[in-house]
Amino acid sequence: MAASDPPHPPMSMPTPMPMSRRRLLGAAAGAAAALPLSACGAGAPEDEGGGNGGGGGSGGDTFTTYWNAGHDYKAYQKVIAEFEKDHGVTVRQQLYQWDDLRTRLLTDFNSENVPDLVEEPGGWTQEFALSGDAASLRPYVERDGEKMGYPDDWQPASVRHNSHRGEPYGIQLHLTCSLLLYNKRMLDRAGIEPPTTWDEVVSAAKELTRDDVHGIALNQDQSYAWPWLLQNGVRQYDRATQDFLVPRDAALEALQFQADLVHRHKVSPVPPPGTDYSGPQKLLSADRAAMIVSGPWDLAPIAKSSPDLELGIAQAPRGKKRSTILAGTSVFVPAKAKNPDRSWDFIKRITALDVELAATKEAGMMMPRRSWAKAGQVRDDPTTRAFAEGVGYAEDPYRDVYLTGHYGEITTDLFKRLYQGVVMEGKPVEEAYEEYVAAARKLLKR
């Protein structure tokens, strides 16, 4: 199956031009995190003159979308063809990787020459609602929501994720989560069932670690810390108290658990530094790790590099509760889009259930509709069924951080320093935690 969207924050990007402080908030720190970044696709779009990164807005008979380069599905091209015919327009689907898309978009916001519709990797909708760059979809949802099944047919977390002050600003397009991927043969040979609790994770990983094989492999990417934190009931930010990583004791316990897998129990290799989140997948594919925490985005690379590997997919283990990180993409309409009615019609078409099922069949993409999760096509496939179940209890850990005005700095720069400090460098957890909280609090007081 092809990739869905990992909860992977992108590399830093250059500031394209002077912009307001609010618009700048994520540009230097990173484009996205929790409902994430896709690593699929490559390259910037070709403009009509053959150069890269053509302009924004929509001309009289054109409709411009900014889209992830890995999501140019045949199912969506069919929607585009019908949309062009019905509206008498030419759709200019500009394909970008996320960091390039964000750079282009921020430039457009400053020039006020915006596209008609934007696919975003998570977090941008609320951020741009806060800055006034995304349009409220409330009039359209009030008019058409019941007929299209919104919000009732969407997973509740995806509705919350795209709302600001009770108003919808985006509609979820794709939705998935991280689960426990494992090597069936390794676990079978050891007589081990997939672990369902933290204690079982440790005991299974110890049993499976031998020679050059590790029982589990943690990721260097800080977003992969969140399934464990969420399982311990940790929130990144509490708006009422304006505090971070709460409850404190639960956060320390979850961080220590991850650090111990590497430095105390030695059942995970030390994650190597860098920006490549695929290290654990490569270890699993090479029979050098028995278990990893990841999502559908790693299924295609595993199948391609290790076609003989018997891959198992288990639900997330329990800490204080069962939880995992939510991932996916949404679409929103820029506030200065020239024809928002037309943009809304495109949203209705691209998020229809039959289109969701067609994209799943074509590319293995996981989707946000409850009716999608109940469809026979999804339930009859063990992979889509597993992730559909996981989505039901997955959470967005960054929910309230979007509205602080410092989303990128907090979720990328500061949390990366905390996570990599304790997991990769063996820094005392409490010391790293206090440094993170102090730095995050300081940001809010600027």
Side-chain angles (χ1 to χ4, degrees):
M1 284 191 169
S4 187
D5 300 290
H8 170 63
M11 64 187 73
S12 297
M13 65 187 73
T15 303
M17 62 183 293
M19 60 185 77
S20 71
R21 179 179 184 81
R22 183 170 284 172
R23 288 178 182 167
L24 182 62
L25 62 92
L35 297 204
L37 167 71
S38 172
C40 56
E46 294 286 326
D47 66 20
E48 293 176 335
N52 282 337
S58 189
D61 61 349
T62 62
F63 180 88
T64 301
T65 68
Y66 285 3
W67 215 254
N68 180 265
H71 299 161
D72 185 21
Y73 303 143
K74 292 178 181 178
Y76 293 166
Q77 289 303 317
K78 181 179 179 182
V79 170
I80 288 172
E82 294 173 351
F83 181 85
E84 288 179 324
K85 180 179 178 181
D86 291 346
H87 287 280
V89 299
T90 298
V91 173
R92 299 177 64 224
Q93 190 180 32
Q94 303 279 26
L95 302 177
Y96 295 90
Q97 290 206 43
W98 292 126
D99 52 355
D100 296 327
L101 193 158
R102 184 178 175 92
T103 300
R104 177 76 246 177
L105 186 61
L106 291 170
T107 302
D108 290 348
F109 284 161
N110 281 283
S111 69
E112 300 190 358
N113 182 34
V114 299
D116 295 283
L117 189 70
V118 179
E119 181 189 10
E120 61 90 35
W124 298 4
T125 297
Q126 289 195 27
E127 175 190 340
F128 294 139
L130 183 66
S131 67
D133 291 309
S136 170
L137 301 178
R138 175 185 251 173
Y140 300 107
V141 171
E142 288 179 346
R143 186 189 70 195
D144 300 330
E146 184 175 356
K147 185 177 180 180
M148 66 183 286
Y150 194 88
D152 293 345
D153 195 32
W154 266 252
Q155 295 287 349
S158 73
V159 176
R160 292 193 299 268
H161 173 71
N162 287 288
S163 299
H164 175 53
R165 294 181 177 174
E167 289 198 31
Y169 281 83
I171 304 293
Q172 198 78 28
L173 179 67
H174 305 145
L175 193 69
T176 188
C177 62
S178 294
L179 296 178
L180 186 71
L181 309 187
Y182 64 94
N183 184 315
K184 285 185 178 180
R185 279 197 291 261
M186 285 188 181
L187 269 68
D188 288 347
R189 282 199 301 263
I192 295 172
E193 293 294 323
T196 61
T197 67
W198 284 13
D199 286 344
E200 290 178 4
V201 168
V202 173
S203 60
K206 285 181 176 179
E207 184 70 22
L208 293 161
T209 299
R210 58 190 63 192
D211 300 326
D212 62 345
V213 176
H214 285 87
I216 191 168
L218 298 191
N219 207 297
Q220 61 82 23
D221 187 289
Q222 67 273 12
S223 63
Y224 286 79
W226 273 105
W228 308 104
L229 287 158
L230 290 168
Q231 288 158 24
N232 226 31
V234 178
R235 291 169 292 152
Q236 187 170 39
Y237 179 62
D238 185 311
R239 294 178 67 188
T241 62
Q242 294 191 328
D243 215 348
F244 294 86
L245 286 184
V246 292
R248 180 180 185 275
D249 289 347
L252 292 175
E253 183 180 24
L255 290 166
Q256 189 66 60
F257 174 80
Q258 296 173 77
D260 285 349
L261 290 175
V262 177
H263 300 290
R264 177 185 167 199
H265 304 306
K266 300 188 185 303
V267 295
S268 169
V270 177
T275 59
D276 184 5
Y277 69 90
S278 67
Q281 171 264 306
K282 292 175 180 176
L283 291 174
L284 183 71
S285 295
D287 288 334
R288 292 183 55 203
M291 301 181 292
I292 65 172
V293 173
S294 192
W297 50 91
D298 271 339
L299 299 182
I302 291 171
K304 183 176 180 180
S305 62
S306 305
D308 296 329
L309 187 149
E310 292 186 36
L311 182 67
I313 303 174
Q315 294 303 308
R318 291 182 179 273
K320 288 183 170 63
K321 63 177 181 176
R322 171 165 283 170
S323 185
T324 190
I325 191 170
L326 204 63
T329 74
S330 303
V331 288
F332 73 90
V333 180
K336 290 184 169 57
K338 293 179 175 60
N339 192 331
D341 290 351
R342 189 179 287 169
S343 301
W344 174 250
D345 184 56
F346 191 92
I347 290 176
K348 287 193 297 181
R349 294 169 185 243
I350 207 78
T351 61
L353 177 60
D354 62 329
V355 177
E356 285 193 347
L357 291 170
T360 299
K361 183 177 181 180
E362 174 187 347
M365 183 60 72
M366 311 297 164
M367 297 296 181
R369 281 183 180 265
R370 289 171 162 176
S371 54
W372 171 86
K374 296 175 182 176
Q377 171 188 325
V378 174
R379 290 187 289 106
D380 293 344
D381 182 277
T383 298
T384 52
R385 185 173 66 245
F387 284 100
E389 180 180 344
V391 161
Y393 58 78
E395 300 177 72
D396 175 8
Y398 310 102
R399 180 178 169 189
D400 290 329
V401 181
Y402 303 129
L403 306 182
T404 65
H406 299 284
Y407 164 69
E409 295 157 288
I410 291 167
T411 61
T412 304
D413 289 350
L414 299 184
F415 190 71
K416 177 179 180 179
R417 190 182 312 155
L418 164 63
Y419 172 72
Q420 294 190 350
V422 300
V423 170
M424 296 166 61
E425 302 165 16
K427 189 172 184 176
V429 168
E430 188 166 357
E431 177 185 340
Y433 172 90
E434 295 298 345
E435 289 177 359
Y436 166 83
V437 171
R441 287 172 177 166
K442 186 176 180 180
L443 277 176
L444 296 192
K445 294 178 181 178
R446 285 184 181 176

